[in-house]
């Protein structure tokens, strides 16, 4: 398996790439609502999953039940790999069809992906396996840390391969093994003007870069509100950091400083909701980007002639604003 040289962008470049993709992707193909529906479905799924989890945590902490929502959220967490994979395959197919001027509906996309159950299941299982192994190694001490570094590299390669794998499966009907084996030949087919972006991990970890200050700010706000609420909700009392210390009552500090955990949990909940929606959006624009790239290097003659120039600039992530895709924009997805 060869993917070309995998290049990890710097923090600034990650955010710039994501901004470019968000702006130009929806300018390019956003007129076809069918292309956006998989992202909406994945986002709603993620919002429900996260909300069930945090609702269960808050309920259990306050001794108000919460077991059923917790089990449902865990079930959704496992099933998400299969659900997301199917939605990404649908989105990839809708994009490639739109580039050819074909009128396709959401029902067409669903029917198409139904014929690829085996490959969809295989992609989901590989994704789940790598994610599970990475999570496990991070909890396994010093040896786990070393293993996690190796698995992170493998995960980054898989993320890139996966984005070429989706259109290979859904457009040309190749299986996973055949699609991976074709990566080297795909690399050789890339036109010279696009060689530099074939092996780039587009917008890698941009969500984490963006969300870090958001998490920090919301946690701080949650802590401040938690101090303000204090012990007014006894079942959510996190503790008193001043209790039994020499700081209690000294200077401007009060004798007690009870902190409620409820505002902190709500703050993390809100931040996580923003994070998962942004993650799904980032994944969608990457699926769209690499589906266009795949079509450009494997089915260039099938792409509508009047949009090829705009697509070339888009794939190179140039600063110029590509015009919206006229013909695919008339689709009813």
């Amino acid at each position: 398996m060869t993917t070309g040289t995998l290049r990890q962008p710097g923090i600034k470049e990650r955010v710039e790439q994501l901004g470019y993709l968000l702006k130009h992707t929806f300018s390019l193909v956003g007129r076809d609502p069918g292309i956006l529906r998989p992202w909406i479905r994945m986002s709603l799924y993620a919002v429900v999953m996260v909300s069930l989890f945090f609702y269960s945590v808050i309920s259990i902490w306050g001794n108000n039940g919460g077991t059923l929502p917790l089990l449902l959220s865990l079930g959704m967490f496992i099933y998400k790999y299969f659900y997301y994979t199917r939605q990404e395959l649908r989105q990839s197919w809708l994009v490639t069809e739109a580039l050819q001027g074909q009128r396709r509906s959401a029902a067409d996309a669903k029917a198409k992906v139904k014929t690829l159950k085996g490959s969809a299941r295989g992609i989901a299982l590989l994704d789940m396996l790598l994610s599970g192994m990475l999570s496990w190694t991070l909890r396994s001490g010093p040896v786990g840390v070393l293993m996690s570094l190796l698995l992170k590299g493998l995960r980054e390669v898989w993320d890139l391969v996966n984005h070429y794998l989706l259109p290979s499966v859904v457009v040309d009907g190749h299986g996973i093994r055949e699609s991976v084996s074709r990566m080297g030949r795909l690399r050789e087919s890339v036109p010279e003007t696009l060689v530099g972006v074939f092996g780039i991990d587009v917008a890698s970890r941009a969500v984490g870069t963006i969300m870090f200050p958001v998490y920090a700010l919301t946690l701080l706000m949650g802590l401040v509100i938690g101090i303000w609420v204090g012990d007014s909700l006894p079942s959510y009392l996190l503790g008193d950091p001043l209790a039994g210390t020499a700081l209690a009552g000294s200077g401007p500090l009060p004798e007690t400083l009870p902190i409620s955990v409820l505002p902190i949990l709500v703050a993390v909940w809100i931040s996580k909701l923003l994070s998962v929606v942004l993650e799904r959006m980032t994944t969608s624009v990457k699926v769209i980007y690499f589906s266009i790239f795949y079509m450009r290097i494997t089915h260039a003659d099938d792409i509508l002639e009047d949009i090829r120039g705009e697509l070339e600039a888009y794939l190179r992530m140039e600063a110029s604003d590509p015009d919206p895709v006229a013909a695919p924009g008339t689709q009813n997805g």
Side-chain angles (χ1 to χ4, degrees), residues 50-93:
V50 169
S51 295
L52 282 172
F53 175 77
F54 277 95
Y55 175 80
S56 68
V57 170
I58 290 173
S59 297
I60 291 171
W61 194 300
N63 297 316
N64 295 317
T67 303
L68 180 59
L70 179 60
L71 293 175
L72 288 173
S73 68
L74 292 177
M76 290 185 71
F77 179 80
I78 295 172
Y79 184 68
K80 73 175 183 178
Y81 296 97
F82 302 92
Y83 184 78
Y84 289 168
T85 297
R86 291 202 305 272
Q87 295 301 321
E88 289 167 13
L89 284 168
R90 290 187 194 183
Q91 188 169 52
S92 180
W93 186 73

Side-chain angles (χ1 to χ4, degrees), residues 26-274:
F26 295 115
S27 172
L28 210 61
V29 296
R31 291 187 177 185
D32 181 358
I35 292 174
L36 301 181
R37 283 175 188 151
W39 163 66
I40 294 172
R41 292 192 189 99
M42 289 187 288
S43 296
L44 289 174
Y45 186 98
V47 165
V48 172
M49 176 179 65
V50 169
S51 295
L52 282 172
F53 175 77
F54 277 95
Y55 175 80
S56 68
V57 170
I58 290 173
S59 297
I60 291 171
W61 194 300
N63 297 316
N64 295 317
T67 303
L68 180 59
L70 179 60
L71 293 175
L72 288 173
S73 68
L74 292 177
M76 290 185 71
F77 179 80
I78 295 172
Y79 184 68
K80 73 175 183 178
Y81 296 97
F82 302 92
Y83 184 78
Y84 289 168
T85 297
R86 291 202 305 272
Q87 295 301 321
E88 289 167 13
L89 284 168
R90 290 187 194 183
Q91 188 169 52
S92 180
W93 186 73
L94 287 168
V95 169
T96 57
E97 290 292 293
L99 295 179
Q100 301 171 74
Q102 300 297 322
R103 301 178 63 87
R104 300 297 185 183
S105 67
D108 293 332
K110 181 179 180 180
K112 175 66 177 180
V113 173
K114 268 190 174 182
T115 66
L116 305 168
K117 285 184 179 179
S119 295
R121 192 178 299 115
I123 294 171
L125 287 172
L126 284 172
D127 202 17
M128 183 191 299
L129 177 63
L130 285 172
S131 297
M133 289 176 64
L134 184 57
S135 298
W136 177 78
T137 55
L138 289 173
R139 295 171 174 82
S140 303
V143 176
V145 172
L146 294 176
M147 284 296 296
S148 70
L149 294 176
L150 174 62
L151 287 174
K152 277 184 178 179
L154 183 60
R155 176 73 201 205
E156 288 164 358
V157 173
W158 163 249
D159 285 343
L160 182 65
V161 170
N162 185 38
H163 288 303
Y164 287 108
L165 183 60
L166 293 172
S168 177
V169 168
V170 80
V171 174
D172 292 324
H174 297 305
I176 295 176
R177 183 178 300 178
E178 184 180 2
S179 296
V180 172
S181 68
R182 293 177 68 243
M183 290 292 291
R185 296 195 296 275
L186 285 179
R187 174 67 178 80
E188 295 171 359
S189 302
V190 177
E192 185 177 351
T193 55
L194 297 176
V195 167
V197 290
F198 178 82
I200 188 173
D201 191 7
V202 177
S204 60
R205 297 195 295 274
V207 173
T209 302
I210 294 171
M211 288 303 302
F212 178 79
V214 175
Y215 273 112
L217 180 60
T218 52
L219 274 174
L220 179 60
M221 292 176 61
L223 179 60
V224 170
I225 296 174
I227 294 173
W228 179 62
V229 172
D231 56 1
S232 60
L233 298 171
S235 58
Y236 292 101
L237 183 63
L238 181 61
D240 186 348
L242 298 182
T245 68
L247 296 174
S250 64
L253 295 177
E255 289 289 340
T256 62
L257 191 66
I259 302 175
S260 173
V261 74
L262 182 58
I264 298 174
L265 290 174
V266 172
V268 177
W269 184 354
I270 294 171
S271 298
K272 189 60 179 177
L273 289 178
L274 294 174

